[in-house]
Amino acid sequence: MAEVKNKQVVLKDYATGFPKESDMDIVEGTISLKLPEGSNEVLLKNLYLSCDPYMQMLMSKIEGLEGFGTYSPGSPLTGYGVAKVLESGHPDYKKGDLVWGFTKWEEYSLVPSSQILFKIEHTDVPLSYYIGILGIPGMTAYAGFFEVGLPKKGERVFVSAASGAVGQLVGQFAKFTGCYVVGSAGSKDKVDLLKNKLGFDDAFNYKEEPDLNAALKRYFPEGIDIYFENVGGKTLDAVLLNMRVHGRIVVCGMVSQYNLAHPEGVTNLANLIFKRICMQGFGVADYYQLYPKFLEYVMPKIKEGKIVYVEDIVEGLEKAPPALIGLFSGRNVGKQVIVLARE
């Protein structure tokens, strides 16, 4: 069986400080399109790759990330993707199936079947949605908001990094639940997007707020019931001063802290005691069993046009390194997607 060229994005060496494009290389290898004899692995043609904030930690060899896997210098980056099955040694998958799960940053990948999370049954929506609203970001927003946040109608919700892949959905889920929701983002365009397209009640540019505590008191004069945490640092510290009694802080990410040599301290944690706040971290992998329930919730809203999902799409593996680095600095608007092939 013929071997084909296989372009890859590999990590040159672990990043020191903030990751850079130069920490990655585009290389061209080869791959056989025939499974090894007796293999139960799955050969994939990668169609869409996901850029996600946690990847910057893996590029920098930060301790304590066992649940996210590891990156190795000289090997392709890994992440979530949508792919087409070319050959399968596993009975659950056959040639031509569309799947989403964990793959490598390359054109073709040979992966263990355990890395495929779900077979794609609904093909009447864009396939890129399976690394966005119907994939990990969607499940993260759903599980974090409903299972950890436990929202009730009329509650006040604050979302940081609100125009990102997860935040934009949390805000809309909050509105569907009958909550008041405010988001923060890092540019005027993103704030406009939150207010005018994504249906947030209000939004602000945190870069234009010298006093985040005062800003939150302006938008939440009666305090915050649920904070969906994506950034950490100074924002978290200010939020703690503005939480209501029995409030919930859903800790999804802390993107402002991942690559600091000395992460910022949080000084207002005593409010967890004073206000009986529940602050809980979570990982989406603990909630995969809810995927069918999640699809029941979100799929009708997509088909009826009740939910908006903003994607930032680039074409070609060569564009992957700048797209990934741009994600860490907030250059993207919405979910960052890399298209390798559309089928």
Side-chain angles (χ1 to χ4, degrees):
M1 190 75 172
E3 290 203 335
V4 295
K5 292 179 179 178
N6 190 28
K7 202 177 294 179
Q8 302 173 316
V9 177
V10 302
L11 183 67
K12 282 204 290 196
D13 201 355
Y14 288 116
T16 304
F18 208 75
K20 306 173 292 297
E21 284 183 49
S22 58
D23 294 321
M24 294 171 274
D25 252 343
I26 305 284
V27 302
E28 193 170 271
T30 61
I31 188 170
S32 170
L33 294 186
K34 183 172 176 60
L35 282 178
E37 193 69 38
S39 170
N40 64 355
E41 294 181 305
V42 183
L43 181 65
L44 302 175
K45 178 182 180 181
N46 293 314
L47 305 179
Y48 298 88
L49 298 177
S50 175
C51 288
D52 294 295
Y54 76 86
M55 297 172 75
Q56 65 180 297
M57 297 185 287
L58 303 187
M59 293 178 71
S60 303
K61 203 177 182 181
I62 294 175
E63 299 282 328
L65 297 176
E66 291 80 5
F68 290 92
T70 56
Y71 287 172
S72 301
S75 296
L77 273 62
T78 57
Y80 294 102
V82 172
K84 186 174 187 176
V85 175
L86 297 182
E87 293 288 343
S88 174
H90 193 280
D92 287 352
Y93 307 104
K94 65 181 190 299
K95 184 176 181 178
D97 282 348
L98 294 167
V99 296
W100 72 269
F102 213 63
T103 188
K104 299 173 187 175
W105 276 35
E106 57 189 3
E107 293 172 298
Y108 301 92
S109 293
L110 184 65
V111 302
S113 58
S114 59
Q115 289 186 192
I116 297 174
L117 296 178
F118 295 98
K119 194 186 296 188
I120 293 173
E121 306 290 353
H122 298 274
T123 56
D124 51 348
V125 295
L127 285 178
S128 59
Y129 276 16
Y130 286 93
I131 51 169
I133 186 171
L134 296 176
I136 294 300
M139 269 297 294
T140 299
Y142 179 83
F145 185 63
F146 290 111
E147 298 295 317
V148 183
L150 302 172
K152 296 185 282 290
K153 184 177 180 180
E155 288 193 314
R156 301 157 183 84
V157 178
F158 176 48
V159 185
S160 56
S163 67
V166 174
Q168 60 173 299
L169 292 173
V170 173
Q172 292 179 81
F173 294 168
K175 290 306 298 176
F176 294 140
T177 309
C179 298
Y180 168 79
V181 60
V182 175
S184 64
S187 73
K188 180 183 182 303
D189 287 346
K190 290 180 179 180
V191 168
D192 289 345
L193 178 72
L194 293 173
K195 294 197 290 188
N196 301 326
K197 189 169 183 178
L198 296 174
F200 283 61
D201 292 293
D202 219 328
F204 64 90
N205 182 350
Y206 69 89
K207 294 177 182 176
E208 295 178 353
E209 298 289 349
D211 185 341
L212 285 172
N213 179 27
L216 290 172
K217 282 181 166 51
R218 236 177 26 246
Y219 290 99
F220 295 97
E222 297 179 30
I224 299 165
D225 292 294
I226 300 173
Y227 171 43
F228 201 96
E229 164 69 301
N230 288 310
V231 298
K234 295 181 178 67
T235 300
L236 174 59
D237 226 13
V239 166
L240 284 163
L241 295 173
N242 288 276
M243 292 296 293
R244 288 166 61 88
V245 171
H246 298 303
R248 284 83 73 204
I249 298 177
V250 182
V251 186
C252 177
M254 293 194 174
V255 72
S256 73
Q257 304 300 298
Y258 293 149
N259 289 97
L260 298 182
H262 302 287
E264 295 168 327
V266 177
T267 62
N268 295 319
L269 286 172
N271 284 275
L272 297 177
I273 307 163
F274 305 152
K275 299 176 182 177
R276 286 84 80 200
I277 296 163
C278 177
M279 180 172 171
Q280 181 179 337
F282 76 102
V284 68
D286 294 340
Y287 297 93
Y288 285 159
Q289 75 277 8
L290 296 180
Y291 191 64
K293 182 181 172 186
F294 163 66
L295 285 182
E296 285 178 18
Y297 175 82
V298 79
M299 193 64 81
K301 291 176 172 60
I302 294 173
K303 293 182 177 179
E304 293 164 19
K306 291 181 178 177
I307 198 164
V308 176
Y309 197 64
V310 179
E311 296 177 305
D312 193 327
I313 294 176
V314 298
E315 302 258 358
L317 203 57
E318 299 83 358
K319 300 280 183 65
L324 181 59
I325 298 303
L327 184 76
F328 306 152
S329 60
R331 193 189 310 155
N332 61 301
V333 178
K335 172 62 190 173
Q336 186 68 71
V337 176
I338 301 157
V339 183
L340 302 190
R342 295 192 181 267
E343 183 72 30

